[in-house]
């Protein structure tokens, strides 16, 4: 039995509708369910949602290089909505997938002339810049302007930080991530990116405090007994957080003078206690031989070689 034969109509409709709401990037699944609906002649079951579905399927198909399917969706949408900016955006994405970056950029620029606040057209235009030789600086400048226009766009701030990091502009990247953290103060991933960037830029004390904040947000679920997602416990972002704290404590304990950004709350005694705790968590909850699922034996050996002296 193939994977497609196990799909039900109700399952396909529910999953596709949920993906349109959450906007999770899952093009393979969109194609899987979308092609099933097409093959089984079930488009009429979508009702008025058929147009949103065709846009959804067309974008996923373009991303995966299924250009015939993408163009089929775009043609049906264009026949129904002759002057829709969203249909034109889909056309631009298809042009990008064909490698016609300049044509796509021109199409987006025409859309922006008509509607300067079209954030999707602005973002796709910047994506075209990134795809061009030496286009990184232009994309960065354009994205910096975009976040001025749309300061609540978390995706734009995250991408801007990424562009700055690619150019080794750590101070600017930290600023972008700081704005992102202000928008989503409980997002552990954003905090982790911020802490790692601060550490790289030499702001060890600030990075240390952000790493501790990430552990605080874990609400005690780091232990074997309480942490629900075993895979995340062993391989997830919290492992990066523990290692980040370990690097910070090493620097703080061995610094000949108070490091940049240090404050009176970071005392030698507290740092030593945190270092001991984090070492124990790594040894007992990540790299122990009996954890489920286990880390690779080579990783366990390497980690214990580094951690064992400080845990003795």
């Amino acid at each position: 039995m193939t994977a497609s034969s196990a799909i039900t109509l109700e399952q396909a409709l529910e999953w596709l509708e949920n993906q349109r709401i959450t906007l999770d990037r899952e093009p393979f699944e969109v194609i899987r369910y979308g092609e099933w609906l097409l093959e089984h002649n079930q488009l009429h079951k979508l009702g008025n949602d058929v147009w949103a579905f065709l846009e959804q399927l067309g974008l996923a198909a373009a991303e995966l290089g299924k250009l015939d399917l993408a163009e089929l969706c775009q043609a049906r949408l264009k026949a129904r909505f002759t002057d829709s900016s969203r249909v034109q955006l889909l056309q631009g994405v298809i042009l990008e997938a064909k490698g016609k970056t300049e044509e796509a950029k021109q199409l987006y620029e025409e859309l922006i002339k008509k509607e300067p606040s079209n954030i999707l057209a602005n973002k796709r235009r910047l994506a075209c810049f990134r795809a061009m030789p030496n286009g990184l600086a232009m994309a960065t400048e354009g994205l910096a302007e975009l976040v001025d226009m749309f300061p609540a766009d978390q995706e734009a701030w995250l991408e801007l930080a990424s562009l700055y990091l690619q150019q080794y502009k750590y101070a600017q990247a930290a600023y972008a991530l700081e704005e992102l953290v202000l928008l989503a103060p409980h997002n552990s991933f954003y905090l982790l990116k911020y802490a790692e960037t601060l550490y790289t830029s030499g702001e060890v004390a600030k990075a240390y405090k952000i790493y501790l904040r990430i552990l605080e947000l874990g609400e005690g679920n780091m232990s074997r007994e309480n942490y629900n997602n075993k895979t995340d416990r062993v391989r997830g972002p919290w492992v990066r957080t523990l290692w980040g704290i370990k690097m910070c404590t090493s620097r703080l304990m061995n610094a000949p003078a108070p490091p940049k950004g240090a404050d009176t709350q970071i005392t030698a005694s507290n740092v030593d206690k945190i270092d001991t705790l984090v070492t124990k968590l790594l040894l007992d909850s990540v790299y122990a031989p009996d954890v489920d699922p286990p880390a690779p034996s080579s990783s366990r050996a390497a980690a214990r070689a580094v951690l064992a002296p400080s845990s003795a």
Side-chain angles (χ1 to χ4, degrees), residues 11-58:
Q11 177 189 12
L13 296 179
E14 181 180 353
W15 189 92
L16 289 165
E17 180 182 9
N18 184 65
Q19 195 274 337
R20 289 195 296 272
I21 295 171
T22 63
L23 299 179
D24 291 336
R25 189 174 177 181
E26 299 186 69
F28 289 99
E29 288 299 294
V30 173
I31 294 294
R32 176 171 172 256
Y33 287 113
E35 288 186 332
W36 185 92
L37 289 176
L38 292 174
E39 291 168 2
H40 291 79
N41 298 314
Q42 296 294 324
L43 288 189
H44 63 283
K45 297 289 186 178
L46 288 157
N48 291 331
D49 288 338
V50 66
W51 309 113
F53 161 74
L54 288 173
E55 179 186 34
Q56 176 186 24
L57 182 60

Side-chain angles (χ1 to χ4, degrees), residues 94-161:
I94 293 171
L95 288 171
E96 289 184 68
K98 291 180 176 180
K100 299 180 178 180
T101 307
E102 184 60 37
E103 290 183 37
K105 183 175 75 70
Q106 291 176 4
L107 186 151
Y108 298 140
E109 288 174 346
E110 288 298 318
L111 286 174
I112 293 169
K113 285 180 183 179
K114 297 177 184 177
E115 187 183 355
S117 62
N118 188 325
I119 190 168
L120 294 177
N122 276 283
K123 287 183 176 181
R124 291 315 317 165
R125 172 177 169 269
L126 296 175
C128 290
F129 279 133
R130 287 199 64 183
M132 295 176 178
N134 304 315
L136 184 58
M138 289 189 293
T140 305
E141 182 181 353
L143 196 51
E145 295 174 355
L146 189 66
V147 294
D148 282 340
M149 294 173 59
F150 304 98
D153 191 317
Q154 297 180 28
E155 182 184 64
W157 281 113
L158 184 60
E159 180 65 15
L160 181 60

Side-chain angles (χ1 to χ4, degrees), residues 148-263:
D148 282 340
M149 294 173 59
F150 304 98
D153 191 317
Q154 297 180 28
E155 182 184 64
W157 281 113
L158 184 60
E159 180 65 15
L160 181 60
S162 176
L163 294 181
Y164 280 135
L165 288 172
Q166 290 179 49
Q167 300 168 78
Y168 310 106
K169 296 180 178 180
Y170 299 115
Q172 293 91 327
Y175 171 78
L177 290 167
E178 186 174 335
E179 292 294 320
L180 190 58
V181 168
L182 289 173
L183 291 171
H186 300 293
N187 187 307
S188 295
F189 173 72
Y190 294 163
L191 287 166
L192 180 59
K193 292 284 289 183
Y194 183 39
E196 291 174 339
T197 301
L198 288 171
Y199 182 88
T200 303
S201 66
E203 297 276 3
V204 179
K206 288 180 67 175
Y208 173 72
K209 295 175 73 172
I210 298 298
Y211 280 128
L212 291 179
R213 173 61 177 155
I214 298 170
L215 290 191
E216 183 183 8
L217 289 173
E219 298 179 350
N221 291 331
M222 299 300 183
S223 68
R224 294 192 191 189
E225 296 79 11
N226 298 329
Y227 202 75
N228 295 323
N229 192 322
K230 294 180 179 179
T231 299
D232 281 351
R233 177 172 56 76
V234 176
R235 303 191 181 96
W238 87 283
V239 178
R240 284 166 56 185
T241 299
L242 292 177
W243 278 111
I245 294 174
K246 188 67 181 172
M247 291 190 298
C248 289
T249 55
S250 178
R251 290 276 300 274
L252 291 169
M253 289 189 297
N254 293 294
K260 184 179 180 181
D263 58 43

